[in-house]
Each structure stands twice: as structure tokens, then as C-alpha cells.
Amino acid sequence: EIKQGRHPVVEQMLEPGAFVPNDTLLSSSDAQLAVITGPNMAGKSTYMRQVALNVLMAQCGSFVPASSAELSVVDRIFTRVGASDNLTLGQSTFMLEMNEAAAILNNATDRSLIILDEIGRGTSTFDGISIAWAIVEHLQKLSALTLCATHYHELTALSQELDAVENFSVRVEEEGEQIVFLRKIVSGEADKSYGVQVARLAGLPKSVVKRAL
């Protein structure tokens, strides 16, 4: 359990008081696996990484950037984040993603902390959802504490089928055609991914955004 947890690096890069802290509660008997939905840029990755960093810092005996924290000892912290390739070895982005996922599934224990950021995104939608679904089921049986961010909203249905799987999302408010990221993790699933709105913020031509809508 972490109350008002913060990211020790990102916080230093912002104006004082600008970082939005978040609570975390994971339990092998209750919310063992958190499925986190919400748009890109909303703060899902920062949130998950700050949890991993808080656990690591606590286990090192370091100061933990939170108002309070009660943390179990973990044997390892596993992460599957980002997108990269290794073309010199003939490995695509998706192959590296699956290599990392395989290392997690084959080595994690019920004492591990696992961070999954957009698992299954490097292949077709149907295959990606199928892989992500099966991985979540496997980790739930393993009982490893897991944070899983995804744009596959289908995965939120697992909270109805599996014990100890809970849905969370990042709060977003819409102001006309614009979206405002509140950076706050709340219980429940996101209603949509806001991909087109994020594309507009990135500066895609208006004609492309209009066509996408």
C-alpha cells in the first residue's frame, strides 16, 4: 500500500507542487493484478514506473517519495515497457517484446512485482488481445503483484471472470474538442482511449483528424 506516491525523477523536472501523487493498493488476496486503461500521455506509464521505483527504493532502505508506504519484500521487479528492436539479430519490435514477456512468465514468482506496459501491441489486434489475455490469466494464477496498462479495453472484462483482477483508469476531462489529463488513477475502466484527440494534440493535419473521426 502506497499513499500519495510520487515519481522521484519526474517530480524533480516539474514546477514545485505540479506533480500529481497517486495511491496504490495491491494484495495477493484482493487486487493482485491491476488492469489500467486510459489515453496515451495521461500518465499510466509514469504511475506504474513510480510504483516500481518506490518498491525498489524501499527495499534498498532509501527514502520513499510518498506520504506513507507499507511494502512487502519482492524477489525481483520485472518490466516490459517501451518499444525497440534488434535488427542486427533479426529481431523485430514484437519479437523483443515477446522475448521479454517470456522471460517474465518463465522466471517470476508469487513474490515478484511485474510491470507490463501495452503488452501485445506489436502484432495484429486479434493476436495481440489474445496474447495479452492469456498473459493476464497466467499471472493471476501465479499470484504475482502486477500492474498492466493496456489499450485493449476487452481485458477489463477479466475483472468479472478472475479473482483479484481489478480495473483502474486515468481520469480525463473533455473540454469541447480538447482533453485535459488529470493524472489521477481512479477505480474503474476508461470509457475510451481518446486516440484521435491525442493525435490532434500531436499536430496531425486537421483533414486527417476529421477523416479519422
Side-chain angles (χ1 to χ4, degrees):
E1 181 178 13
I2 301 172
K3 294 184 177 179
Q4 299 293 291
R6 309 186 306 279
H7 193 295
V9 178
V10 174
E11 182 181 36
Q12 298 303 313
M13 301 175 67
L14 302 177
E15 294 294 327
F19 189 89
V20 179
N22 274 292
D23 297 342
T24 304
L25 180 60
L26 296 175
S27 168
S28 58
S29 60
D30 188 11
Q32 171 249 319
L33 193 150
V35 175
I36 307 170
T37 51
N40 287 314
M41 303 295 295
K44 300 189 301 296
S45 296
T46 298
Y47 168 71
M48 294 196 303
R49 294 179 193 203
Q50 82 183 34
V51 171
L53 279 170
N54 287 349
V55 170
L56 179 62
M57 293 171 74
Q59 202 151 311
C60 290
S62 170
F63 165 80
V64 176
S67 62
S68 66
E70 184 176 347
L71 302 170
S72 57
V73 174
V74 299
D75 55 8
R76 276 175 288 187
I77 298 174
F78 292 95
T79 63
R80 157 68 307 262
V81 300
S84 59
D85 56 40
N86 192 338
L87 298 181
T88 59
L89 295 180
Q91 295 182 335
S92 65
T93 299
F94 182 64
M95 185 61 181
L96 279 184
E97 179 184 344
M98 290 298 99
N99 282 341
E100 293 179 1
I104 293 172
L105 300 185
N106 291 322
N107 292 286
T109 73
D110 60 357
R111 303 295 298 177
S112 302
L113 174 65
I114 300 172
I115 305 298
L116 298 177
D117 199 351
E118 305 296 348
I119 193 73
R121 66 181 172 181
T123 187
S124 69
T125 301
F126 181 80
D127 284 354
I129 291 174
S130 299
I131 292 169
W133 188 289
I135 286 175
V136 169
E137 287 184 336
H138 180 90
L139 293 176
Q140 191 268 343
K141 293 176 183 177
L142 182 62
S143 295
L145 298 182
T146 304
L147 296 169
C148 176
T150 184
H151 284 295
Y152 294 141
H153 288 254
E154 292 83 354
L155 296 186
T156 60
L158 284 166
S159 66
Q160 304 298 317
E161 299 185 16
L162 301 175
D163 293 335
V165 173
E166 298 289 337
N167 292 324
F168 296 90
S169 60
V170 188
R171 281 192 62 195
V172 174
E173 289 187 355
E174 295 187 67
E175 295 182 355
E177 295 184 347
Q178 303 299 316
I179 56 175
V180 178
F181 302 123
L182 300 181
R183 315 293 186 192
K184 203 69 179 175
I185 302 294
V186 295
S187 180
E189 63 199 70
D191 56 353
K192 54 184 177 180
S193 290
Y194 298 93
V196 177
Q197 288 87 342
V198 173
R200 179 190 288 114
L201 288 175
L204 283 187
K206 292 182 179 179
S207 59
V208 174
V209 173
K210 183 177 179 180
R211 176 59 177 161
L213 288 169

